Amino acid sequence: MSFKILTVSIQNEQDVVLARQRARELAALLGLERGDQTRLATAVSEIARNAYQYGGGGKAEFSLEGGAAPQLFLIRISDAGAGIANLEEVLAGRRRSGNGLGLGISGARRLVDQFEIRSSRSGTAVVLKKMLPPGSPLLRPERLMAMADELIRGRPADPYQEIQQQNQELLAALDELRQRQEELALLNSELEDTNRGVVALYAELDEKADHLRRADEIKSRFLSNMSHEFRTPLNSITALTGLLLGRSDGDLTPEQEKQVSLIRKGAQDLTELVNDLLDLAKVEAGKIVIRPAEFEVANLFGALRGMLRPLLINENLKLIFEEPQGIPPVYSDEGKVSQILRNFISNALKYTERGEVRVAAAFDAEKQVVTFRVSDTGIGIAREDQERIFQEFSQLDHPIQKKVKGTGLGLPLSRRLAELLGGSLRVESRPGVGSTFHAAIPVLYQPVEPMTPAAAVTLDESRLPVLVVEDNPETAFIYEKFLKGSPFQMLPVRTVREAHSVMKAVRPSAIVLDILLPGEDAWVFLAELKSDPNTSWIPVLVVTGVDDRRKVMALGADAYCIKPVERRWLVDQLTVFTNPDRRRILIVDDDEASRYLLRRALPGRLVIEAGGGREGLRLAVERQPQVIFLDLKLPDLSGFEVLEKLKEDPQTRDIPVIVVTSRVLEPQESRRLAAFAEAILSKQDLSPEAVSHALATPRREEGSQEAEGEQHD
């Protein structure tokens, strides 16, 4: 989800100052630290000045990306100038103009989390990205509009005031540098003492870890014992109040009946809390027992219908059980499945004042999963609260909440029970419309095997390693089953730290990443992967419960899927992004529109782009693409020169080249190209069909060459 905050037109030096000021002010309003404010303002100032001086003016657009915290701050600065020649050399810091153009761009690149630049003869666009700090609140459009209004109403600083501000920031930076130098000297002096204490520290950590394990066992034991001790008096209270309400010892006055009913209701609520606490303690202690047996979904629905109809006391509300169709017998723990559905239905009845609560089930033959669905027309749940409701003791603030009571343990317990059965839970909801809770339960229960650490996995050289960053053992188990018998070998890790450790020893062919990792910032991990030239080429498939596609893709992910994932999707995506015949394609063209059309015609490929001939030659050596699309008219070298250099270099001479041109070629040019290029593609027809046909040509020629070689051998 993208929210535009404001736009600053850049037509003169005063506008450059204003863009810098707006960047700093917005960074402060968004909660960035003082140092980050200065770095971001400096980067914006450098790029905005380039747009004014070299691009003849442009604009700076400030926006916020993401529907979940932490959000992504984006600043896009664009112009309609003649573009930047030798862009790759400028970014690498090897080239700059006499007045410092290259230095500003390469410097700005180091000041932000992610930096994107596209340049052609029709202009240049730079996108600066900065992740908001962890723990930042989710900012909604109305708050962003208020920020924009506040900035617009404010009086812009004149250039003199901005220079003063920059001087103050410089002095603060120098003072911070001096303090860090002093701290570094102090740290160096303490390093020797610290090293001597490392061994003792590890011993102490081992001891504390042992204490924590014992404390966790004691906590579970306490909850279990406490629950059992509470149950006896609570059962007595419930039984005795039942006797009183049954008039076994005489009539009660209306007031006495009301008082006894309140006592009985309180005892029943407390019993429900105790039961949930006991179940949670069993799950945490690993003492919950799964008793699988074969049962029919229709019989389960019949039992639930009879059990829950007494709770339906609202005449404006209907409880509907759809008749199951085409669902085979399920081999699982019927009691646990029933407990999950009872919790869904009782919650729906509590928080739905009128309309209906509908219970249904459907069978997925491919995944061998029965998905139970409980839909209501109740109050609904906001998107930002849909994960919070699965946290223990978490309850949402709503007027209906004051009328009905709950423990806040039902949904967390239901999720854990579903995971123990090898399944999963998810929710779809809109405030004011209603909610639908889904429980996906395998038809055949299989005990969950403990997740094997990636470090303990023996690599199979015949399969491609896929790093799976997933903290949930049940989900990791599902991935393992999905990839069994496929060309991909799973390397499971639970944390970002473990992922970094594995990547030092193994270079994965792809990464499957869950964004929701407790205590981990997977957003930053994704941004780092795609910002580092050493890892940016690795395909990253984000599979998560967070519905924030735009933010995920803005950070560079190659594919995105909301859980639960299907086996076909996972294997197909991995096949597309790891297939060496289809993965890396280099486009060498200075026209952004032509590069865009080619990208659209190459779905599923990892497309590398170069805006000039020299940059294209360098990328061809570094990235070794399977195919190169080459424009003949480039700003630095001609396409003919690039072709000759490619064929002269032993590292690139075997790479097929497809010439893409809008020119009408002379016969002499066609003959010259025939010696180097495998196909010629007209820019007038960059349709997927035409591009696919051109791609097929090099493969056919390669196949014929191999056949000829075999005959000669």
Side-chain angles (χ1 to χ4, degrees):
M1 195 176 298
S2 182
F3 307 105
K4 188 174 180 180
I5 304 175
L6 57 84
T7 301
V8 175
S9 177
I10 303 172
Q11 302 300 329
N12 52 49
E13 285 284 358
Q14 181 69 26
D15 293 338
V16 174
V17 174
L18 180 60
R20 175 190 172 92
Q21 180 188 1
R22 293 306 191 215
R24 187 180 60 250
E25 292 170 342
L26 271 174
L29 291 172
L30 293 173
L32 292 174
E33 295 181 353
R34 182 67 176 270
D36 288 333
Q37 297 172 27
T38 301
R39 283 187 281 273
L40 201 56
T42 303
V44 169
S45 177
E46 290 295 329
I47 303 302
R49 182 169 287 104
N50 286 345
Y52 165 61
Q53 291 182 347
Y54 304 104
K59 60 182 178 179
E61 300 167 282
F62 300 85
S63 61
L64 203 64
E65 189 73 62
Q71 291 163 289
L72 191 64
F73 186 27
L74 277 73
I75 305 170
R76 186 179 189 274
I77 302 172
S78 57
D79 64 57
I84 303 172
N86 306 308
L87 177 59
E88 196 65 24
E89 294 185 17
V90 169
L91 292 175
R94 297 192 298 267
R95 184 183 182 91
R96 56 179 163 226
S97 62
N99 45 11
L101 169 62
L103 183 62
I105 292 177
S106 59
R109 188 181 189 183
R110 292 191 291 267
L111 294 174
V112 294
D113 291 344
Q114 284 191 332
F115 180 97
E116 293 180 3
I117 182 168
R118 295 193 181 279
S119 184
S120 66
R121 285 174 291 187
S122 58
T124 300
V126 177
V127 181
L128 309 173
K129 301 180 183 181
K130 182 67 181 177
M131 188 77 72
L132 298 191
S136 299
L138 184 66
L139 298 173
R140 303 199 172 280
E142 53 270 18
R143 173 58 183 149
L144 298 177
M145 291 176 61
M147 287 184 184
D149 292 341
E150 180 182 341
L151 293 178
I152 293 171
R153 288 196 303 269
R155 178 183 173 185
D158 58 40
Y160 177 72
Q161 290 176 327
E162 191 62 29
I163 290 173
Q164 284 185 321
Q165 177 68 32
Q166 291 184 35
N167 288 339
Q168 292 173 3
E169 292 173 356
L170 178 60
L171 290 172
L174 290 173
D175 183 59
E176 182 181 354
L177 179 60
R178 180 186 57 79
Q179 291 179 5
R180 289 188 178 181
Q181 288 176 332
E182 293 175 354
E183 291 172 359
L184 182 60
L186 180 61
L187 286 173
N188 285 335
S189 66
E190 294 176 352
L191 184 58
E192 186 176 350
D193 294 337
T194 302
N195 287 338
R196 285 196 296 265
V198 167
V199 175
L201 178 61
Y202 273 117
E204 184 178 346
L205 286 174
D206 287 339
E207 183 182 354
K208 288 190 174 181
D210 186 56
H211 287 165
L212 286 173
R213 283 192 295 270
R214 290 203 300 269
D216 188 60
E217 292 174 1
I218 292 171
K219 182 200 75 171
S220 298
R221 199 179 309 125
F222 167 76
L223 286 175
S224 178
N225 292 338
M226 180 201 71
S227 302
H228 283 298
E229 292 297 330
F230 272 148
R231 274 181 167 179
T232 300
L234 286 172
N235 289 338
S236 299
I237 294 172
T238 303
L240 291 171
T241 52
L243 289 174
L244 290 172
L245 291 173
R247 281 28 179 217
S248 60
D249 291 324
D251 287 337
L252 300 176
T253 66
E255 187 63 26
Q256 289 173 332
E257 183 175 357
K258 180 179 179 181
Q259 293 170 358
V260 173
S261 297
L262 290 174
I263 294 171
R264 183 180 179 83
K265 182 64 169 58
Q268 290 172 340
D269 290 342
L270 191 54
T271 300
E272 181 183 351
L273 173 61
V274 168
N275 290 337
D276 287 344
L277 278 172
L278 181 59
D279 287 339
L280 276 174
K282 287 181 178 178
V283 172
E284 290 182 355
K287 294 181 179 179
I288 199 91
V289 178
I290 303 297
R291 297 182 174 86
E294 190 171 278
F295 65 90
E296 296 284 349
V297 174
N299 295 337
L300 172 64
F301 278 10
L304 288 170
R305 188 184 296 111
M307 189 185 308
L308 294 170
R309 280 204 181 279
L311 299 179
L312 191 62
I313 57 176
N314 185 349
E315 295 181 354
N316 298 319
L317 184 61
K318 294 180 179 178
L319 176 59
I320 301 171
F321 283 83
E322 294 185 3
E323 193 65 28
Q325 299 290 338
I327 300 178
V330 178
Y331 181 77
S332 189
D333 191 324
E334 183 178 4
K336 302 294 186 296
V337 176
S338 175
Q339 189 173 356
I340 294 169
L341 295 180
R342 287 201 310 270
N343 186 271
F344 285 176
I345 298 170
S346 61
N347 281 347
L349 294 175
K350 285 179 185 177
Y351 299 110
T352 305
E353 294 185 314
R354 59 179 55 86
E356 67 176 31
V357 174
R358 185 175 292 270
V359 186
F363 174 57
D364 188 327
E366 181 181 352
K367 294 190 291 184
Q368 289 293 297
V369 164
V370 175
T371 300
F372 297 92
R373 187 177 68 252
V374 178
S375 307
D376 64 56
T377 55
I379 59 177
I381 305 165
R383 178 180 296 176
E384 62 271 20
D385 294 326
Q386 289 178 13
E387 187 62 29
R388 189 159 67 90
I389 59 174
F390 290 101
Q391 299 173 4
E392 295 173 13
F393 302 105
S394 178
Q395 295 184 342
L396 305 183
D397 186 20
H398 193 276
I400 291 184
Q401 189 71 48
K402 299 176 182 178
K403 302 178 184 178
V404 297
K405 299 296 181 182
T407 64
L409 292 173
L411 288 175
L413 176 59
S414 296
R415 169 174 277 185
R416 296 193 187 188
L417 291 176
E419 290 170 351
L420 286 173
L421 297 176
S424 62
L425 301 188
R426 64 184 179 92
V427 61
E428 297 172 351
S429 185
R430 288 176 57 193
V433 177
S435 305
T436 301
F437 283 84
H438 302 260
I441 306 297
V443 171
L444 179 62
Y445 168 75
Q446 294 179 336
V448 176
E449 301 170 4
M451 188 162 62
T452 305
V457 175
T458 302
L459 289 178
D460 183 350
E461 294 184 359
S462 65
R463 303 172 71 194
L464 297 176
V466 175
L467 182 64
V468 176
V469 188
E470 172 61 64
D471 66 305
N472 186 285
E474 289 76 22
T475 305
F477 174 75
I478 292 172
Y479 286 144
E480 185 178 354
K481 293 299 181 186
F482 281 176
L483 299 181
K484 186 176 181 180
S486 75
F488 308 104
Q489 181 182 12
M490 173 176 158
L491 304 179
V493 296
R494 288 189 173 93
T495 66
V496 169
R497 176 180 293 182
E498 290 180 13
H500 281 302
S501 177
V502 170
M503 290 179 68
K504 290 178 182 178
V506 180
R507 184 51 53 93
S509 297
I511 297 173
V512 178
L513 174 65
D514 181 11
I515 288 296
L516 289 178
L517 299 174
E520 302 276 347
D521 200 337
W523 293 109
V524 173
F525 178 59
L526 174 60
E528 289 174 348
L529 284 172
K530 290 303 180 178
S531 300
D532 187 346
N534 295 319
T535 58
S536 60
W537 61 270
I538 302 176
V540 178
L541 283 61
V542 172
V543 181
T544 184
V546 175
D547 186 6
D548 207 343
R549 181 186 185 88
R550 288 179 63 93
K551 179 179 173 183
V552 168
M553 302 308 286
L555 286 173
D558 297 272
Y560 169 78
C561 178
I562 296 180
K563 292 181 179 178
V565 65
E566 295 183 1
R567 182 184 187 279
R568 178 180 296 176
W569 182 91
L570 181 65
V571 175
D572 286 352
Q573 293 295 319
L574 289 174
T575 302
V576 166
F577 286 109
T578 60
N579 190 333
D581 294 328
R582 301 176 59 193
R583 209 178 72 197
R584 291 189 302 278
I585 292 181
L586 173 61
I587 300 175
V588 185
D589 196 324
D590 64 327
D591 182 54
E592 185 175 4
S594 296
R595 296 200 304 267
Y596 173 78
L597 290 172
L598 278 172
R599 285 200 309 273
R600 291 292 300 269
L602 295 166
R605 277 78 164 183
L606 177 58
V607 176
I608 311 160
E609 298 181 26
R614 290 191 178 88
E615 181 187 359
L617 288 169
R618 181 183 63 79
L619 289 174
V621 173
E622 291 180 359
R623 303 299 295 276
Q624 289 292 301
Q626 274 67 53
V627 180
I628 298 175
F629 285 85
L630 175 65
D631 184 21
L632 289 180
K633 190 176 181 181
L634 298 169
D636 48 1
L637 300 175
S638 72
F640 292 101
E641 291 175 306
V642 174
L643 268 172
E644 290 174 353
K645 291 181 181 295
L646 286 170
K647 297 306 176 182
E648 290 171 1
D649 190 337
Q651 298 183 76
T652 58
R653 64 186 174 199
D654 294 328
I655 301 175
V657 178
I658 298 173
V659 171
V660 184
T661 182
S662 56
R663 292 171 49 186
V664 177
L665 298 174
E666 299 292 336
Q668 182 181 358
E669 291 177 321
S670 297
R671 287 193 297 271
R672 187 180 176 189
L673 287 175
F676 300 113
E678 273 72 10
I680 299 175
L681 190 62
S682 172
K683 286 192 175 182
Q684 296 178 356
D685 184 12
L686 293 180
S687 65
E689 293 77 15
V691 173
S692 297
H693 179 72
L695 277 173
T697 302
R699 287 198 288 271
R700 286 197 299 268
E701 290 184 296
E702 287 174 5
S704 63
Q705 290 169 6
E706 290 174 4
E708 291 172 6
E710 290 173 2
Q711 291 170 2
H712 289 308
D713 290 343

